[in-house]
Amino acid sequence: MMLMTRKKAFLENLPAVVEEAVREYGPRLRKIVIEEDEKGCYTVWITYESERQAF
């Protein structure tokens, strides 16, 4: 199952937010989309695959 999370950041913080997502989700990471709003703040949408659970 694909999941998505959202993080807000200013331009100078974007590299750290992306680096954190790559480190946290690793190979489960599927997509990162960065959108700028009218105030100069950025929304980072992180799409990743959920962890599979064994039953």
Side-chain angles (χ1 to χ4, degrees):
M1 174 187 344
M2 297 297 256
L3 300 173
M4 183 181 288
T5 188
R6 174 184 69 153
K7 299 196 181 234
K8 299 289 270 184
F10 290 109
L11 181 61
E12 60 270 10
N13 300 335
L14 282 177
V17 171
V18 171
E19 188 175 312
E20 178 185 338
V22 170
R23 187 173 39 252
E24 183 174 345
Y25 300 110
R28 298 184 301 134
L29 181 64
R30 294 296 174 249
K31 179 170 54 171
I32 295 177
V33 176
I34 301 170
E35 299 174 343
E36 182 180 13
D37 67 15
E38 63 281 349
K39 296 178 184 175
C41 190
Y42 293 83
T43 302
V44 182
W45 296 95
I46 302 165
T47 305
Y48 61 97
E49 194 169 318
S50 67
E51 292 186 44
R52 303 191 193 277
Q53 297 180 1
F55 292 97

